[in-house]
Amino acid sequence: DVKVTQSSRYLVKRTGEKVFLECVQDMDHENMFWYRQDPGLGLRLIYFSYDVKMKEKGDIPEGYSVSREKKERFSLILESASTNQTSMYLCASTAGGTVSYEQYFGPGTRLTVT
Amino acid sequence: RKEVEQDPGPFNVPEGATVAFNCTYSNSASQSFFWYRQDCRKEPKLLMSVYSSGNEDGRFTAQLNRASQYISLLIRDSKLSDSATYLCVVIFSGTYKYIFGTGTRLKVLA
């Protein structure tokens, strides 16, 4: 059974703090993704990675960076958190080689920036 | 125009009813199509892939119309447990990107 875990379910941070969101998958998937989900806007892709140390910007990368040092782990970093980054953050992974595979999601991290 | 569009609903239907959702996409080079289900405060999970010839999984039927650039999801004999948000997902050819619709909310009423 595929499992994608995220480091926190709920997180409250102050404006200006550096925030780390961790995602780990246990199925040896090549591709990993970070999304944010906001009411009325749906899921929007922040970054994705198709291999260790490889990353590509998604639709809304501004204010975020990522790190993928190991295949199973994909980290999202908010360099200086702002209130407009309050959102639900979802990590996902898929098997590699093709984009047509099912995406498996983690349970999400609800981040509040005050 | 959004790349993938869905009617947000909510669709309120009685138990046992048949309900259908559509999802339109803008890129004719789209390659793969999926329906995901998302329960309240939970992560999205794959409901079914959508194949060119249409496909069925129990009470659920998915269809693709490439000429009109939409996919559909039909749910027969609705159950209370079908209440959720249904997300349409499209992958454009030559990309890694999964494009999600904003979802259609379904409420099945007793």
Side-chain angles (χ1 to χ4, degrees), chain B residues 76-90:
Chain B
R76 290 181 298 279
D77 188 23
S78 299
K79 312 289 185 192
L80 294 175
S81 57
D82 294 334
S83 297
T85 297
Y86 291 84
L87 305 172
C88 163
V89 184
V90 175

Side-chain angles (χ1 to χ4, degrees), chain A residues 37 48 59 99-101 103 106, chain B residues 32 36 38 91 95 97-98:
Chain A
Q37 186 173 29
F48 66 96
D59 297 317
V99 297
S100 300
Y101 286 119
Q103 278 201 325
Chain B
S32 302
Y36 277 69
Q38 186 173 23
I91 302 172
T95 77
K97 287 175 59 175
Y98 292 63

Side-chain angles (χ1 to χ4, degrees), chain B residues 2 5 82 94:
Chain B
K2 289 183 181 178
E5 291 199 74
D82 294 334

